[in-house]
Amino acid sequence: MGAADLANYQAEKTPPLCRTVRKHLVCVPPPPSSGVGLLQLLLLLEGTDIAERSPDDPDAWFTFAQASRLMYADRDHYVGDPEFVHVPLEGMLDSDYLDSRRRLLGQYAAPGPFTPGHPNGAPENSEDHTSEPSGTSHFVVVDGEGNAVSMTTTIESYFGSGRVAGGMLLNNQLTDFSWQPGGSSANAIAPAKRPRSSMSPVIVLDGDGKFAGAIGSPGGNAIPAYIGKTLLGWLFWDMPLDEAIALPNLVARGERFDGEADTMTPAVRLGLERLGVTVRPGSGENSGLHGVQLRADGLHGAADPRREGTVSAAPPSAKKSRDASIQPDL
């Protein structure tokens, strides 16, 4: 990479990818972000009975785990830089396709990963071999005029490339590519290509198209699972955002079920084991969820108790927006 590469780079402004979930419009960045995977997960869940269940029901967590595995199978196989590969967005979110994938949820988590599906417009990609280190931050800001930002940013790994230029840590973003030599996966490395990113900052609108909240998280390839779990609590179980963030993390991808086994109740863990899901502690606990939720009494901010994040609210000014001031939930 030379100076000309930096000089010729052009930032792009692209429209968000939005779908209606539980009478809310959930908006995410388009590929190469993994927002399409997050939307697919939520839409898979919407076609189940999970909203009638609760966080104390092992069947609810089983459904979440199986839907997550299906989502990751498709995301890993199809999401890449749309300037280089065709990402079948409409096919991945098509209701008939989702119905066909939902029928695979099953009654028991059989061994072995799910294979990717074949949505309309799907290209023939080879197997993905991407490994995503974690070194990511997320924040949400809402001002008194009602403007909102949900931003996830990364330099990859803990200190990026380990090199500093002009006081700035340089990133190590090439590690977000699939490095299989000669591979033809959607995320195969190529000059001027953007790597697939798990970053999936979210803005949520209500049924009238007004701001309802925002959420996001660091966490490498676990980001869609972290945010999906939180939106499950918020949109499906009608929980306050701080309680939804505090729900146990469960990252189900391929053959692995990683997460906060020790924070699940014994009844939930035993019920999951009977369904073929054994949650392994020691991985999947590194979320850093931050968000804002509009409730009847105003905006409430919430920060993940697992990390060092905080909620900060300026004193209400004389000129108030319709959303009132942020009420921190710590």
Side-chain angles (χ1 to χ4, degrees):
M1 184 174 69
D5 296 298
L6 299 175
N8 293 330
Y9 180 79
Q10 297 294 320
E12 294 184 6
K13 182 178 181 179
T14 54
L17 182 63
C18 303
R19 288 296 186 275
T20 299
V21 180
R22 303 282 298 172
K23 299 181 180 180
H24 288 76
L25 193 65
V26 179
C27 295
V28 296
S33 159
S34 291
V36 60
L38 175 60
L39 290 179
Q40 189 186 59
L41 171 60
L42 296 174
L43 292 171
L44 283 169
L45 294 176
E46 191 170 32
T48 71
D49 66 351
I50 199 168
E52 282 70 56
R53 297 186 181 274
S54 74
D56 298 321
D57 188 338
D59 285 308
W61 290 107
F62 172 80
T63 299
F64 178 77
Q66 291 288 82
S68 296
R69 297 172 76 199
L70 287 167
M71 174 272 290
Y72 275 115
D74 278 3
R75 184 212 74 140
D76 293 353
H77 196 69
Y78 291 118
V79 175
D81 185 347
E83 296 294 325
F84 286 76
V85 296
H86 173 64
V87 183
L89 291 178
E90 296 301 321
M92 291 172 68
L93 300 176
D94 176 76
S95 59
D96 290 338
Y97 176 69
L98 291 169
D99 286 343
S100 70
R101 296 295 276 171
R102 198 178 293 113
R103 287 193 288 270
L104 300 176
L105 293 175
Q107 303 298 316
Y108 186 84
F114 284 115
T115 58
H118 297 280
N120 289 334
E124 294 294 329
N125 297 331
S126 64
E127 185 179 354
D128 181 72
H129 291 272
T130 304
S131 176
E132 301 169 80
S134 299
T136 305
S137 302
H138 180 84
F139 62 83
V140 170
V141 177
V142 182
D143 70 11
E145 302 300 320
N147 301 299
V149 173
S150 181
M151 180 173 176
T152 316
T153 180
T154 188
I155 58 172
E156 205 72 1
S157 303
Y158 293 105
F159 291 96
S161 64
R163 289 163 174 78
V164 179
M168 301 293 292
L169 287 163
L170 301 181
N171 74 47
N172 192 31
Q173 199 67 32
L174 286 171
T175 56
D176 265 357
F177 280 114
S178 177
W179 280 85
Q180 184 186 27
S184 59
S185 71
N187 196 39
I189 191 169
K193 186 178 181 182
R194 294 169 295 177
R196 184 185 70 214
S197 171
S198 290
M199 297 187 291
S200 305
V202 176
I203 288 182
V204 180
L205 307 179
D206 65 18
D208 296 323
K210 297 179 180 179
F211 180 75
I215 189 72
S217 181
N221 59 44
I223 289 174
Y226 294 151
I227 302 174
K229 171 218 69 174
T230 305
L231 291 176
L232 169 63
W234 173 3
L235 300 180
F236 290 75
W237 293 334
D238 200 27
M239 299 175 69
L241 185 57
D242 58 323
E243 295 181 18
I245 286 175
L247 287 171
N249 285 328
L250 174 58
V251 184
R253 183 180 183 221
E255 300 178 354
R256 297 175 61 97
F257 300 94
D258 296 316
E260 295 175 308
D262 293 340
T263 65
M264 294 178 172
T265 66
V268 167
R269 290 182 64 179
L270 181 59
L272 282 173
E273 289 173 3
R274 288 171 175 165
L275 296 169
V277 175
T278 300
V279 182
R280 300 192 302 180
S283 181
E285 294 88 354
N286 295 319
S287 61
L289 290 147
H290 290 76
V292 169
Q293 180 187 42
L294 179 62
R295 305 216 295 259
D297 59 343
L299 288 171
H300 291 250
D304 201 321
R306 303 166 183 86
R307 297 279 286 266
E308 68 277 12
T310 60
V311 177
S312 177
S317 62
K319 182 181 179 181
K320 293 183 179 180
S321 72
R322 68 169 184 86
D323 293 330
S325 59
I326 296 177
Q327 304 297 319
D329 289 334
L330 297 177

